[in-house]
Amino acid sequence: MPSYRAQLNIMGLRPGHAPEAVMDTAVASLAGGHHVDANQLDVVAGVPRITVRYTVEDDGNPDMRAVASAAAMRAAVERVAVSEKLVVLRRTRGRWMTLRR
């Protein structure tokens, strides 16, 4: 099964939500249809960025499903936080290749 990463910058929390709700929401959104391998929070140039690594069953067009799932993850995260710059990457021959910026 191909492996993907969805990376999303977090610009701020929506009122009434704790910081951990961002990652919990992102992981829960992807785990509904895929196996989530890992997740992490980084701060890049002062901006928090979440990364969720997940696998997609190869049904003939896994890239399309991976991008659609990442977009759904962003929509779910937007309910608890303000986000920007969704990037989706696929692991190919030991390297992460960008599918969507």
Side-chain angles (χ1 to χ4, degrees), residues 3-8 30 38 40 50-55 66 70 73 86-91 96-97 99-100:
S3 183
Y4 297 89
R5 282 185 179 171
Q7 296 179 326
L8 186 60
L30 286 170
Q40 67 186 48
I50 62 168
T51 301
V52 182
R53 183 174 174 176
Y54 58 105
T55 55
M73 178 202 78
L86 173 64
V87 177
V88 182
L89 303 110
R90 178 183 173 150
R91 186 85 172 168
W96 288 102
M97 309 298 286
L99 293 178
R100 177 178 183 235

Side-chain angles (χ1 to χ4, degrees), residues 7-12 44 47-50 74 77-78 82-87:
Q7 296 179 326
L8 186 60
N9 289 349
I10 305 301
M11 305 312 293
V44 181
V47 177
R49 176 188 296 160
I50 62 168
R74 181 179 187 177
V77 167
E78 279 288 331
V82 177
S83 69
E84 73 170 17
K85 193 178 175 190
L86 173 64
V87 177

Side-chain angles (χ1 to χ4, degrees), residues 29 34 45 52 64 69 82 84:
S29 172
H34 308 293
V52 182
M64 185 175 77
S69 295
V82 177
E84 73 170 17

Side-chain angles (χ1 to χ4, degrees), residues 1 15-17 19-20 29-30 35 39-41 73 80 90 94:
M1 285 192 283
H17 296 283
E20 53 274 2
S29 172
L30 286 170
H35 175 74
N39 64 76
Q40 67 186 48
L41 170 67
M73 178 202 78
V80 299
R90 178 183 173 150

